Amino acid sequence: MSDDRILGIDFGGTKVALGLADRDGTLLATRRLDTDAHAGAEQVVVRTLAAARALLADEGAAPGRIGVVSPGIVLPDRILLAPNVPGWEQLHLAELVAAEFPAVPISVGTDAKAAALAEWRWGTLAGADPAVFLSLGTGIAAAVLVGGRVLTGANGAAGEIGYNLLSPQDTEGFASGAAPLEEAVGGRGLGGRASELLGRPVTAGELFALAKENVEAKELVTAALDELSMHVANLAIALDPQRIAVGGGLVRSADVLLPALADRLAHAVPFPPQLVAARFDQDAALLGAVALALGG
């Protein structure tokens, strides 16, 4: 079996993506699984590793390297700031994957930061310095690249803008278990409020589509975009990036999302950065796992 392939695994809040790629970042085969978060962390990992084995068998490949990404700050013995899947923060993710694939080099990291590497290496952030990758999906996060290197921060938490405060009244924020911006504009929070508003289950993506004809949905989307665009503008003012790439599940609504962000950047930022959709759309974190395995 060929061993020059890279196995990428992207653990997300609602789905897991697996991909087999070559060293140029071309995905040769992919699989998707539901996270089934309410059933806990262990079952997600068990099912994912079984699916990875099946994928490799189907493709007749043995991985030369493995990259694994997840929400939160991925440390050797635990994962921080990843509350969406019960038990996820207690996982020894690198050890679990290494036990399934002994002797294969394994790299682990944060999904949004890895996605930024993929966009800088192969995508729309190529050549931009500084650059920002904005991940808008179940959660909200940003990754900052300077000279092609991801800014991690003292604790690995640089860019965790989901914890941004919304007003002076948000005096506790993280200490009280809140992620104010993520709850306000992330996919999970938007979907929950839309479901309450419309009296039936509604996803964030469906909400954006409904906003084109439903007044209540439009008001909810407008308020969310007003909030989000303010934070993106403040980030641009602080960092003065050359380019911002927007990825994640909410980019499926780019026709509504990007103009709102661009308008705020144009009016609020002294030197507005270029604003682009991520090249890899829904596969940015998966290709980020591949980039991570290749050394960034």
Side-chain angles (χ1 to χ4, degrees):
M1 294 195 300
S2 172
D3 63 355
D4 62 347
R5 301 297 186 234
I6 311 300
L7 175 64
I9 302 175
D10 167 27
F11 287 102
T14 57
K15 56 86 180 170
V16 180
L18 300 99
L20 191 64
D22 62 21
R23 292 175 180 270
D24 294 324
T26 300
L27 287 170
L28 307 172
T30 60
R31 298 286 190 277
R32 296 284 193 277
L33 306 172
D34 289 333
T35 301
D36 196 12
H38 297 295
E42 184 176 351
Q43 57 83 28
V44 183
V45 178
V46 170
R47 289 190 296 111
T48 296
L49 294 178
R53 278 292 184 194
L55 171 62
L56 293 168
D58 288 346
E59 297 300 316
R65 294 176 179 273
I66 298 174
V68 183
V69 299
S70 159
I73 301 169
V74 184
L75 302 177
D77 60 342
R78 64 195 186 281
I79 300 173
L80 306 178
L81 306 185
N84 288 329
V85 179
W88 200 253
E89 294 180 325
Q90 284 72 53
L91 285 180
H92 298 191
L93 193 54
E95 290 182 15
L96 292 169
V97 178
E100 185 72 21
F101 296 98
V104 179
I106 296 169
S107 302
V108 297
T110 299
D111 51 5
K113 290 182 174 63
L117 284 175
E119 286 294 334
W120 188 83
R121 186 165 185 157
W122 300 304
T124 55
L125 291 180
D129 189 21
V132 172
F133 176 76
L134 186 63
S135 179
L136 305 178
T138 303
I140 300 292
V144 180
L145 297 111
V146 180
R149 293 184 176 274
V150 175
L151 179 66
T152 58
N155 301 286
E160 293 290 339
I161 62 171
Y163 294 95
N164 279 14
L165 303 179
L166 306 184
S167 73
Q169 286 69 45
D170 288 334
T171 53
E172 294 183 348
F174 172 75
S176 63
L181 182 60
E182 183 166 299
E183 291 164 14
V185 302
R188 189 185 302 274
L190 277 178
R193 289 201 303 285
S195 298
E196 291 181 8
L197 180 68
L198 300 174
R200 61 179 177 83
V202 178
T203 67
E206 291 168 341
L207 171 65
F208 276 87
L210 287 169
K212 297 175 182 178
E213 56 188 33
N214 182 289
V215 174
E216 292 177 311
K218 183 177 181 179
E219 289 177 351
L220 182 54
V221 167
T222 298
L225 291 179
D226 284 347
E227 185 70 51
L228 175 64
S229 64
M230 178 183 70
H231 291 266
V232 175
N234 285 341
L235 186 67
I237 291 168
L239 298 174
D240 189 25
Q242 182 179 355
R243 192 175 304 144
I244 297 176
V246 185
L250 293 183
V251 178
R252 293 179 181 133
S253 303
D255 59 329
V256 177
L257 178 65
L258 292 185
L261 296 180
D263 184 67
R264 184 64 69 97
L265 290 172
H267 287 88
V269 181
F271 301 97
Q274 297 173 330
L275 182 71
V276 296
R279 174 181 176 184
F280 301 114
D281 193 14
Q282 311 310 311
D283 287 326
L286 179 58
L287 282 167
V290 175
L292 195 65
L294 290 170

PDB file of all heavy atoms in Angstrom, residues 27 38 43 95-96 125 160 171 210 223 295:
ATOM      1  N   LEU A  27      -7.399  16.671  -2.017  1.00  0.00           N
ATOM      2  CA  LEU A  27      -8.155  15.618  -1.352  1.00  0.00           C
ATOM      3  C   LEU A  27      -8.497  14.528  -2.367  1.00  0.00           C
ATOM      4  O   LEU A  27      -9.142  14.794  -3.385  1.00  0.00           O
ATOM      5  CB  LEU A  27      -9.431  16.183  -0.726  1.00  0.00           C
ATOM      6  CG  LEU A  27      -9.241  17.040   0.524  1.00  0.00           C
ATOM      7  CD1 LEU A  27     -10.534  17.734   0.905  1.00  0.00           C
ATOM      8  CD2 LEU A  27      -8.719  16.194   1.687  1.00  0.00           C
ATOM      9  N   HIS A  38     -24.492  14.712  21.701  1.00  0.00           N
ATOM     10  CA  HIS A  38     -25.182  14.388  22.952  1.00  0.00           C
ATOM     11  C   HIS A  38     -24.797  13.004  23.475  1.00  0.00           C
ATOM     12  O   HIS A  38     -24.982  12.711  24.660  1.00  0.00           O
ATOM     13  CB  HIS A  38     -26.701  14.471  22.749  1.00  0.00           C
ATOM     14  CG  HIS A  38     -27.182  15.844  22.401  1.00  0.00           C
ATOM     15  ND1 HIS A  38     -27.076  16.911  23.276  1.00  0.00           N
ATOM     16  CD2 HIS A  38     -27.753  16.345  21.276  1.00  0.00           C
ATOM     17  CE1 HIS A  38     -27.571  17.999  22.703  1.00  0.00           C
ATOM     18  NE2 HIS A  38     -27.987  17.687  21.490  1.00  0.00           N
ATOM     19  N   GLN A  43     -17.583   8.006  21.924  1.00  0.00           N
ATOM     20  CA  GLN A  43     -18.163   7.346  20.754  1.00  0.00           C
ATOM     21  C   GLN A  43     -17.773   8.046  19.455  1.00  0.00           C
ATOM     22  O   GLN A  43     -17.654   7.402  18.401  1.00  0.00           O
ATOM     23  CB  GLN A  43     -19.686   7.252  20.893  1.00  0.00           C
ATOM     24  CG  GLN A  43     -20.426   8.581  21.106  1.00  0.00           C
ATOM     25  CD  GLN A  43     -20.717   9.343  19.824  1.00  0.00           C
ATOM     26  OE1 GLN A  43     -20.852   8.726  18.768  1.00  0.00           O
ATOM     27  NE2 GLN A  43     -20.798  10.665  19.903  1.00  0.00           N
ATOM     28  N   GLU A  95      -3.064  10.742  21.934  1.00  0.00           N
ATOM     29  CA  GLU A  95      -2.811   9.372  22.385  1.00  0.00           C
ATOM     30  C   GLU A  95      -3.796   8.387  21.764  1.00  0.00           C
ATOM     31  O   GLU A  95      -3.419   7.275  21.373  1.00  0.00           O
ATOM     32  CB  GLU A  95      -2.898   9.287  23.911  1.00  0.00           C
ATOM     33  CG  GLU A  95      -1.771   9.984  24.647  1.00  0.00           C
ATOM     34  CD  GLU A  95      -1.905   9.815  26.154  1.00  0.00           C
ATOM     35  OE1 GLU A  95      -2.683   8.931  26.583  1.00  0.00           O
ATOM     36  OE2 GLU A  95      -1.243  10.562  26.889  1.00  0.00           O
ATOM     37  N   LEU A  96      -5.049   8.780  21.676  1.00  0.00           N
ATOM     38  CA  LEU A  96      -6.069   7.888  21.121  1.00  0.00           C
ATOM     39  C   LEU A  96      -5.797   7.593  19.651  1.00  0.00           C
ATOM     40  O   LEU A  96      -5.930   6.441  19.191  1.00  0.00           O
ATOM     41  CB  LEU A  96      -7.454   8.514  21.291  1.00  0.00           C
ATOM     42  CG  LEU A  96      -7.970   8.619  22.725  1.00  0.00           C
ATOM     43  CD1 LEU A  96      -9.217   9.492  22.780  1.00  0.00           C
ATOM     44  CD2 LEU A  96      -8.259   7.235  23.285  1.00  0.00           C
ATOM     45  N   LEU A 125      -5.445  33.113   1.173  1.00  0.00           N
ATOM     46  CA  LEU A 125      -4.556  33.931   2.000  1.00  0.00           C
ATOM     47  C   LEU A 125      -3.109  33.862   1.540  1.00  0.00           C
ATOM     48  O   LEU A 125      -2.227  34.460   2.157  1.00  0.00           O
ATOM     49  CB  LEU A 125      -4.647  33.495   3.473  1.00  0.00           C
ATOM     50  CG  LEU A 125      -5.964  33.813   4.175  1.00  0.00           C
ATOM     51  CD1 LEU A 125      -5.941  33.329   5.614  1.00  0.00           C
ATOM     52  CD2 LEU A 125      -6.276  35.312   4.132  1.00  0.00           C
ATOM     53  N   GLU A 160      -9.567  33.555  19.845  1.00  0.00           N
ATOM     54  CA  GLU A 160     -10.817  32.958  20.324  1.00  0.00           C
ATOM     55  C   GLU A 160     -11.857  34.060  20.554  1.00  0.00           C
ATOM     56  O   GLU A 160     -12.307  34.314  21.678  1.00  0.00           O
ATOM     57  CB  GLU A 160     -10.568  32.162  21.608  1.00  0.00           C
ATOM     58  CG  GLU A 160      -9.710  30.924  21.416  1.00  0.00           C
ATOM     59  CD  GLU A 160     -10.425  29.834  20.629  1.00  0.00           C
ATOM     60  OE1 GLU A 160     -11.674  29.850  20.565  1.00  0.00           O
ATOM     61  OE2 GLU A 160      -9.732  28.958  20.067  1.00  0.00           O
ATOM     62  N   THR A 171     -19.829  41.537  32.253  1.00  0.00           N
ATOM     63  CA  THR A 171     -18.664  41.714  33.116  1.00  0.00           C
ATOM     64  C   THR A 171     -17.968  40.401  33.462  1.00  0.00           C
ATOM     65  O   THR A 171     -16.795  40.389  33.807  1.00  0.00           O
ATOM     66  CB  THR A 171     -19.067  42.416  34.432  1.00  0.00           C
ATOM     67  OG1 THR A 171     -20.150  41.688  35.025  1.00  0.00           O
ATOM     68  CG2 THR A 171     -19.503  43.847  34.153  1.00  0.00           C
ATOM     69  N   LEU A 210     -34.427  32.075   4.810  1.00  0.00           N
ATOM     70  CA  LEU A 210     -35.739  32.604   5.157  1.00  0.00           C
ATOM     71  C   LEU A 210     -35.741  34.120   5.250  1.00  0.00           C
ATOM     72  O   LEU A 210     -36.769  34.768   5.016  1.00  0.00           O
ATOM     73  CB  LEU A 210     -36.183  32.012   6.502  1.00  0.00           C
ATOM     74  CG  LEU A 210     -36.620  30.545   6.505  1.00  0.00           C
ATOM     75  CD1 LEU A 210     -36.756  30.044   7.932  1.00  0.00           C
ATOM     76  CD2 LEU A 210     -37.925  30.381   5.750  1.00  0.00           C
ATOM     77  N   ALA A 223     -29.595  41.798  12.880  1.00  0.00           N
ATOM     78  CA  ALA A 223     -29.012  42.073  14.186  1.00  0.00           C
ATOM     79  C   ALA A 223     -27.729  41.277  14.386  1.00  0.00           C
ATOM     80  O   ALA A 223     -26.730  41.792  14.920  1.00  0.00           O
ATOM     81  CB  ALA A 223     -30.025  41.742  15.290  1.00  0.00           C
ATOM     82  N   GLY A 295       3.602  20.105   8.440  1.00  0.00           N
ATOM     83  CA  GLY A 295       4.487  21.037   9.107  1.00  0.00           C
ATOM     84  C   GLY A 295       4.097  22.491   8.967  1.00  0.00           C
ATOM     85  O   GLY A 295       4.889  23.386   9.212  1.00  0.00           O
TER      86      GLY A 295
END
